[in-house]
Amino acid sequence: MQLLTLPKLAAQSGWPESRVRRMVARGLLSHIRVNGRLLLPETAIEDYVANHFVKAAGRSTPMGRLILANPGQDPEPAR
């Protein structure tokens, strides 16, 4: 496991240092302090995203079957 400093991890991920620092402070990213130096696994952000990904719910209506009506008019029944 390779450990990176916070600025290096932020630069590698493209996320602002302030966001990464805030996430560390909230305990959202894995990290360790060694002699006062904050180190994070190079996969810390990738792991966070993978663990917090929301799966799509899917469609309840098949494509082409969604019927929109004009206000005040009844929609045509689905066939």
Side-chain angles (χ1 to χ4, degrees):
M1 172 191 311
Q2 177 147 1
L3 298 173
L4 302 175
T5 62
L6 189 143
K8 285 185 182 178
L9 181 65
Q12 175 182 307
S13 69
W15 288 14
E17 281 186 44
S18 59
R19 178 184 299 160
V20 177
R21 193 172 306 283
R22 198 169 42 246
M23 292 177 76
V24 166
R26 292 178 180 165
L28 299 175
L29 295 178
S30 299
H31 64 282
I32 188 171
R33 285 197 184 268
V34 178
N35 295 330
R37 189 173 181 196
L38 181 65
L39 300 172
L40 300 98
E42 65 181 337
T43 61
I45 291 176
E46 185 179 319
D47 294 343
Y48 174 83
V49 170
N51 290 327
H52 291 84
F53 217 82
V54 177
K55 292 185 179 183
R59 279 197 301 252
S60 60
T61 305
M63 280 300 260
R65 298 282 308 230
L66 183 61
I67 299 171
L68 301 176
N70 292 330
Q73 293 181 352
D74 291 330
E76 291 181 37
R79 296 181 186 152

